Amino acid sequence: MTSLSIFAPSGSRLLRSGFLLPALLVAIVAILVVAPLLRILVTTLTPEGLAAWKAVLISPLSANLWWRPLLNTMVLGFSVGGGCLLIGGFLAWLVVLTDVPGRRFLGLMATLPYMIPSFAAALAWGTLFRNSRLGGSAGFFETSGLAIPDWLAWGLIPTAIVLIAHYYSLAYTIIAAALSSVGADLVEAGQMAGAKRPRIFFGIILPVVTPALIAATSLTFAGAVANFAAPALLGLPVRMQTLSTRLFGMIETGQNERGFVIALLLIAVSALFLWLSDRIVSGRKAFITVTGKGGRTKRFPLGAWRWPLFAIAVVIGLLTTILPVLVLAASSLAPQSGALFSNWTLHFWIGEGGGEMAQGQAGIFRNPVLIDAIWNTIRLGLVVAFTTMLLGLALAYTIVQRKGSLLATLLSQLAFLPLLVPSIAFAAAYIALFGAPIGPLPSLYGTFALLVIAASAHNLPFAVQSGRSVLGQISADIEESARLTGAGLIRRLFAIIFPLAIRGLFAGAILVFVKMVRDLSLVVLLFTATSPVLSMVAYRYAAEGFMQFANAITLVILVVCLAASFLAHALQNRVQKWKQP
Amino acid sequence: MLKRLTNAALAACFVLPSIAMASDLDGLTPQQLLPLAQKEGSVTVFSLSSRIAKIEKAFEEAYPGIDLIGLDMSSTKQIARVEAEQQAGVHAVDVLYIADTPVVFTKLLEGKRIVNYVPPRVLNELEDRYKAPLLTQRLSTKVLMYNEKAFPDGSPVTNLWQLTEPEWQGRVLMVDPSQRGELLDLLTEIALHPDEMAAAYKAHFGKDIEVEGDLQGAGEQFIKDLFANDLILLPNSDVLNKSIGDVNAKNPPVGFGTYSDRRDNEKEGWALQIANNVEPANGILFPAVLTVADKAPHPAAARLLIDFMFGDDTPTGGAGFEPFNVPGDYATRKTIADHSDSVKLSELKAWTIDPAKTAAARGRIADLIITLQ
């Protein structure tokens, strides 16, 4: 699929699509991703920085500071990546390609876990499996007289399980988007040729969605290695450190250089794995499945397996969605966080202030800033999702167009890195880079624009990966025909590529939106206006020890994310009218 | 007053001319600052506590015409943000209300990113160590806490060295000191008192301590022994309080927590209590400081706000201090009374950290605990 623009008939066109867009993208990525990374790298080249490199890699500290956390992190990354691929892939196949009952309901449940913060899943684990190691009230199993060993209550295994439960929905979202573009004609062709079902699955469907599988695995891998809440809550009590807890701790205790060194090393290691996975994909033939024709999805009849598979999917959903949401809801209703299921009250939601409850704090719906915060959150999420997707789409398009070239490899690598940069370092680099006026450009310090730029860069990987997984399947013929009729790049993007790839784009947009509305650190560091977003309100409650209010806000955030997700689905169906049965 | 003003003006002649303008303001009373601050029109503060919202209301009522913009963020984020802003030549924040003083000392004060200012109004009501190098508004704690319902006869621990014995194996909790600055400061402080730790060892075991070759002093030996006794590390103080304080617990652990968290006992069903009678000390008092950012855009309003946050002359400190006046935290201003239902500051057996000394010793202890994990 390499573009042979060198042989293109006209020079101006060559300039327009063959050269200008990639050059522009390289510049944008250089500014948004490379510059902050370089800045972080430069801070580790000072004398203190060099001492930090030494301390991390070759000193008596190395084992506990770098090697053991690295091992834990990689075990987590691979087990979560693999687990998410299996569970997310299984559910995506079930919902998109089979006649399982309650498909919509299953699909909804499968998209939810990612919207629930990972700390909720870790808390849910605790309510079941917490043992007496820390004292305090034990979990459900210990209370029922079943002794839970430390390895099941704390450490690597529960952390991996909780992270899979949190991130598999990310894999589901991306894989489902790709599966929905596997046209019925492909499958039917296979069936006519007499291929059996496994053969169709492994011979046709799987190769077609390989880019999506790789994208899903790399994103969940990155999510798992960067996640802080789960390893901190479940790992620290048995002294399990991962690179993310180490990194956080180093920055929190004022040892920034060491933190940055760990971050850079983590980026390097992850980039290596990513490059390897890229090699696997680019080494194969690309399969074109989105041809603009038909596009019906063929559903396999499951026969006797319908209900058993439905039951499995429901159990997964119950454990990973309903249980954490229940725990969250309970913790917003129970006056005492040690006894989640007793003395429930709605006070924290709608109670009047001034009484005995919660030091006279009124419920969140009586908090005058709540509505304001909801709107701010939605606005921020939408703007960032939009800009990120626009940039991500352009990047993904270029990467797919020039598959295998150095440029594509470089862009795809760079576009993936921001996920792994700690947001505090990212934000600090942005302030230092763009806080001062650059030439004719004004200082962006404290503006909404700076926040949007930084957030877009930070969330770029979602957009690029989900864009790639779908764009890779779009046939070049359609674009070629459009090009011959004289349609320019912008026109082609909006009239052809955008509608065909919308499912993947929206999948990415939802992921970005969710990450943005939940993530606090960038907002706090980059924004000076006092108009709060929801995550800030939650942080304020939590900082004062009002966990119930904070958890209630978290549920509000969940509802906002869900609403956004529904909206995306509705829009998608309107754009892809040809998909209507 | 006039004399003090002249003094301030004289002093200003000897410091850098660039901050002469600001230091002229240092000697002014609130009444003199007010018109200048009103001309400036606003003041921006980064605050470690979200209770800054209450201060905003009170400040704007007391001094109409000055808009207080309060942004709450953790000390770590404040430091990162101020450093990044000033590197970009941006001077947007006026006041920092911040803890993590050892890091503030090395990264901000030594880097001349902040200026220490002591309001003349409270000059004579503060001990010297609370005026320099950083102005301390109040003190918080990281001290040994136990469950008073499970141990009705008082703290089961009266000497820190007990925590290294089999009886307390796996039953001492602490938020991971490699994750949180205050706990690293606590261990650093223990290491900074080798003689007291050695004396406490002798009092408890009846013999002199033998310190291992690669360790410096009895304090470091204690840290090593504590880790070796299956010290349990936690992600946050919420988990710690629940584990120690649970009223239904039969044989609960002890741990190093925050004294003022006791105020949630009733709400949460805890029975947290301070173990005050502990040799040689039960933990640390650490400062929350108020400081002016270098080249603050609103220098007069910044000083007026700091003055305001030291409260009025009443025993509670009035609207400027009350939001921070909780039992278990301590005002540095002598006119503000300690809470009746908490241990008096003078009777609290905790060491008060010195940001400069802690900063100098902290790195070594940070490295030590990494090797012990």
Side-chain angles (χ1 to χ4, degrees), chain B residues 28-49:
Chain B
L28 300 184
T29 63
Q31 296 74 20
Q32 292 166 313
L33 284 170
L34 184 58
L36 301 172
Q38 279 168 329
K39 203 180 293 172
E40 289 167 358
S42 79
V43 58
T44 301
V45 53
F46 291 167
S47 162
L48 59 95
S49 162

Side-chain angles (χ1 to χ4, degrees), chain A residues 39 64 246 258 445 524, chain B residues 81 85 87 367 370 373:
Chain A
R39 203 180 163 278
N64 281 351
R246 273 282 175 241
R258 284 184 186 178
Y445 173 79
V524 168
Chain B
R81 190 160 163 173
E85 284 177 11
Q87 277 166 6
D367 288 358
I370 286 172
Q373 274 183 347

Side-chain angles (χ1 to χ4, degrees), chain B residues 15-230:
Chain B
V15 288
L16 290 172
S18 64
I19 56 165
M21 259 307 292
S23 55
D24 283 346
L25 299 168
D26 284 357
L28 300 184
T29 63
Q31 296 74 20
Q32 292 166 313
L33 284 170
L34 184 58
L36 301 172
Q38 279 168 329
K39 203 180 293 172
E40 289 167 358
S42 79
V43 58
T44 301
V45 53
F46 291 167
S47 162
L48 59 95
S49 162
S50 54
R51 280 169 270 173
I52 196 71
K54 291 181 176 159
I55 295 294
E56 180 180 355
K57 208 161 152 260
F59 181 80
E60 288 172 2
E61 270 170 25
Y63 301 120
I66 309 166
D67 179 21
L68 188 152
I69 298 161
L71 301 162
D72 44 310
M73 58 180 103
S74 71
S75 301
T76 305
K77 290 202 168 90
Q78 289 188 42
I79 294 165
R81 190 160 163 173
V82 169
E83 275 192 312
E85 284 177 11
Q86 295 195 358
Q87 277 166 6
V90 173
H91 296 274
V93 61
D94 299 297
V95 175
L96 306 184
Y97 184 31
I98 189 168
D100 257 347
T101 44
V103 188
V104 172
F105 182 81
T106 43
K107 292 204 171 180
L108 298 183
L109 193 67
E110 288 186 331
K112 302 233 181 338
R113 299 200 184 282
I114 51 174
V115 186
N116 193 37
Y117 159 73
V118 184
R121 188 170 62 93
V122 295
L123 195 68
N124 298 324
E125 295 170 11
L126 300 175
E127 288 179 36
D128 283 347
R129 58 179 169 163
Y130 300 140
K131 289 189 278 201
L134 292 156
L135 175 75
T136 304
Q137 185 229 22
R138 66 186 169 111
L139 297 160
S140 250
T141 55
K142 282 292 172 211
V143 288
L144 193 65
M145 303 293 288
Y146 74 100
N147 186 316
E148 62 181 344
K149 194 144 181 282
F151 301 101
D153 305 335
S155 167
V157 177
T158 53
N159 186 313
L160 285 184
W161 287 99
Q162 281 173 260
L163 304 177
T164 64
E165 292 186 288
E167 188 197 348
W168 291 100
Q169 187 175 6
R171 290 179 55 223
V172 185
L173 311 184
M174 177 190 263
V175 173
D176 185 347
S178 70
Q179 300 281 323
R180 296 290 316 196
E182 295 104 353
L183 282 306
L184 179 55
D185 295 344
L186 167 72
L187 295 181
T188 306
E189 197 61 30
I190 289 173
L192 285 170
H193 291 270
D195 300 347
E196 289 99 322
M197 289 303 289
Y201 183 92
K202 189 159 185 178
H204 185 64
F205 293 108
K207 59 179 184 196
D208 283 324
I209 187 171
E210 287 175 26
V211 179
E212 288 167 44
D214 54 344
L215 299 174
Q216 294 176 4
E220 288 191 10
Q221 186 66 55
F222 170 79
I223 294 170
K224 184 167 183 181
D225 294 353
L226 184 66
F227 270 82
N229 204 27
D230 196 13

